[in-house]
Amino acid sequence: MADEQQQPRSLREYGMPDANGVLSSIVRPNVAATHFELKPQFIQFISQDSYAGLANENPVDHLSRFLEKCDTMKLTNVSSDAIRLRLFPFSLRDDAKEWLNDEGANKYTTWDSLAKAFLLKFFSQKKTSKLRNDISTFRQNEDESLHDAWKRFKRLQRQCPHHGLPDWLLIQTFYNGMTQEFRIYVDAASGGSIMAKTPDTATALLDEMASNDNYPHSDRGSIKKGGKYDIDTLTLLASTVQALTHKVDQLGASSSSSAKVASCETCGVHGHAPKDCQFDTSGMSIEQANALYNSQQRPQNDPYSNTYNPGWRNNPKFSWRDNSNQPPNTNFAHPKQQFRTTTRFPS
């Protein structure tokens, strides 16, 4: 009967979605307050820290920040679930927003059910295993203070509240992950060994010591031990300096050797190579070559100069005859005399 009383619809209307059928997956609780309104400024405040469902995002941190913002709004006759269920869709975007829209109409009626489904979707078993492993294998960095190490260890626990590790195991894990210096420091502060304390007492002691150690470990003035990368860096630097020194020595040796030009094998004069010699000695006798050498190297008026250059003996450009079997020439004249001219004046 109800269908008969409705207005008939056209064929086009049958192919269009009904606006009343577009329902949210969240059932918004009724509000008994007379005046209830979510201000646009507050909605924008929620949207500024939205969650997209990326692998590097933590859903636990998002829920913690969202609840912190929602708790700043308190209205008369308005429940916390009414505020959270209305504002939570504004804190999601991209894949996370698509997930909420695909959950189906009227699925979540309470905040607890919505939060549990959100964590089940975006906090996978793989992420849980990774964070639990980060807690179990915790190690303090070399230059990390006790304050920073303890804060980082507690942050890992907050990001994975369902890690399932008991308190006594957490204290042992943190103690074993500290450096040797800080283990001695903590044992001395505990009056012997922190392992003799209860988990609650050890936690309170670490909280107090961490608050008093809120400065970088490098400020202690301790000498940093060189690690693998430091040694490799020094070795590389030393090798580079040695290579540069060797290169400079080679350049200096080549410069000095290039400055020292061998004497010419043709004329015996230093400063040029045989191919650059300006004297054509082909067909010269040894006496002419000696005379030429003396004219270039010795003063013209030096009567005691050595007129024989032994370097010319085996020169292929000079003609040479072996006169050892011939009788000595008694009329040998000084080579200079061959080029000496006599000038006579009329009497």
Side-chain angles (χ1 to χ4, degrees):
M1 296 297 293
D3 295 337
E4 293 178 358
Q5 294 177 358
Q6 291 181 356
Q7 294 293 332
R9 294 186 296 174
S10 64
L11 295 176
R12 180 181 299 174
E13 291 176 342
Y14 279 106
M16 296 173 57
D18 188 1
N20 296 326
V22 181
L23 300 177
S24 172
S25 60
I26 299 176
V27 178
R28 297 173 179 82
N30 295 326
V31 176
T34 305
H35 300 285
F36 173 67
E37 179 184 3
L38 294 176
K39 301 294 183 181
Q41 295 82 356
F42 193 78
I43 296 177
Q44 184 179 5
F45 176 59
I46 296 293
S47 302
Q48 288 177 352
D49 195 12
S50 58
Y51 181 84
L54 300 177
N56 59 343
E57 293 179 310
N58 191 289
V60 175
D61 291 341
H62 175 70
L63 288 182
S64 177
R65 291 190 296 266
F66 173 76
L67 294 177
E68 183 180 0
K69 293 179 180 180
C70 291
D71 290 342
T72 60
M73 176 181 288
K74 296 295 182 181
L75 301 175
T76 305
N77 298 327
V78 179
S79 63
S80 298
D81 279 14
I83 297 176
R84 294 171 182 174
L85 291 174
R86 283 174 168 83
L87 290 176
F88 188 70
F90 296 101
S91 70
L92 303 179
R93 60 182 175 89
D94 300 339
D95 292 342
K97 191 64 173 288
E98 292 295 330
W99 161 80
L100 184 61
N101 295 334
D102 295 340
E103 284 297 282
N106 302 326
K107 184 175 183 179
Y108 304 110
T109 59
T110 62
W111 167 250
D112 290 339
S113 62
L114 178 58
K116 183 178 180 180
F118 174 75
L119 292 175
L120 184 62
K121 170 62 179 178
F122 295 103
F123 211 114
S124 62
Q125 293 295 323
K126 182 178 180 180
K127 185 184 292 291
T128 300
S129 300
K130 179 182 182 304
L131 291 176
R132 185 182 290 120
N133 182 70
D134 292 342
I135 296 174
S136 302
T137 59
F138 177 83
R139 290 293 182 272
Q140 183 183 9
N141 297 327
E142 185 68 24
D143 295 333
E144 191 176 25
S145 65
L146 179 61
H147 173 270
D148 294 339
W150 182 242
K151 181 177 66 175
R152 183 164 60 89
F153 186 68
K154 292 194 297 184
R155 185 186 301 118
L156 292 174
Q157 300 176 52
R158 188 187 71 249
Q159 293 177 349
C160 186
H162 55 295
H163 54 75
L165 301 177
D167 293 340
W168 66 267
L169 184 57
L170 291 174
I171 296 299
Q172 284 190 358
T173 301
F174 180 77
Y175 177 81
N176 294 330
M178 289 191 302
T179 61
Q180 181 66 23
E181 177 185 356
F182 276 102
R183 282 201 295 266
I184 297 175
Y185 177 44
V186 170
D187 287 338
S190 62
S193 176
I194 195 174
M195 292 301 172
K197 305 293 182 181
T198 62
D200 294 338
T201 304
T203 302
L205 177 63
L206 289 173
D207 286 336
E208 183 179 359
M209 295 181 64
S211 62
N212 296 329
D213 191 48
N214 189 11
Y215 56 90
H217 177 56
S218 58
D219 292 344
R220 296 177 178 273
S222 59
I223 300 176
K224 180 181 178 181
K225 297 181 180 180
K228 175 180 179 298
Y229 296 102
D230 296 333
I231 295 176
D232 291 344
T233 303
L234 293 176
T235 304
L236 178 61
L237 180 60
S239 301
T240 304
V241 173
Q242 185 178 2
L244 290 175
T245 304
H246 182 67
K247 189 65 176 179
V248 171
D249 293 341
Q250 288 182 342
L251 291 175
S254 61
S255 299
S256 59
S257 61
S258 60
K260 296 178 180 179
V261 181
S263 60
C264 178
E265 298 178 359
T266 301
C267 63
V269 177
H270 294 278
H272 65 272
K275 63 179 181 178
D276 298 329
C277 186
Q278 299 179 357
F279 299 99
D280 185 10
T281 58
S282 58
M284 281 188 180
S285 63
I286 188 60
E287 291 81 1
Q288 294 174 339
N290 285 334
L292 177 62
Y293 172 77
N294 291 331
S295 63
Q296 295 293 328
Q297 294 290 340
R298 303 297 180 180
Q300 294 288 339
N301 55 356
D302 184 8
Y304 303 100
S305 62
N306 186 11
T307 60
Y308 175 66
N309 184 5
W312 291 339
R313 179 180 182 88
N314 298 322
N315 195 302
K317 294 185 179 181
F318 297 155
S319 59
W320 175 260
R321 292 177 300 175
D322 187 6
N323 298 326
S324 58
N325 296 327
Q326 298 180 3
N329 186 8
T330 57
N331 297 326
F332 177 76
H334 195 277
K336 287 185 178 182
Q337 295 178 359
Q338 297 178 4
F339 295 91
R340 184 179 302 171
T341 58
T342 303
T343 305
R344 296 181 177 181
F345 296 95
S347 57

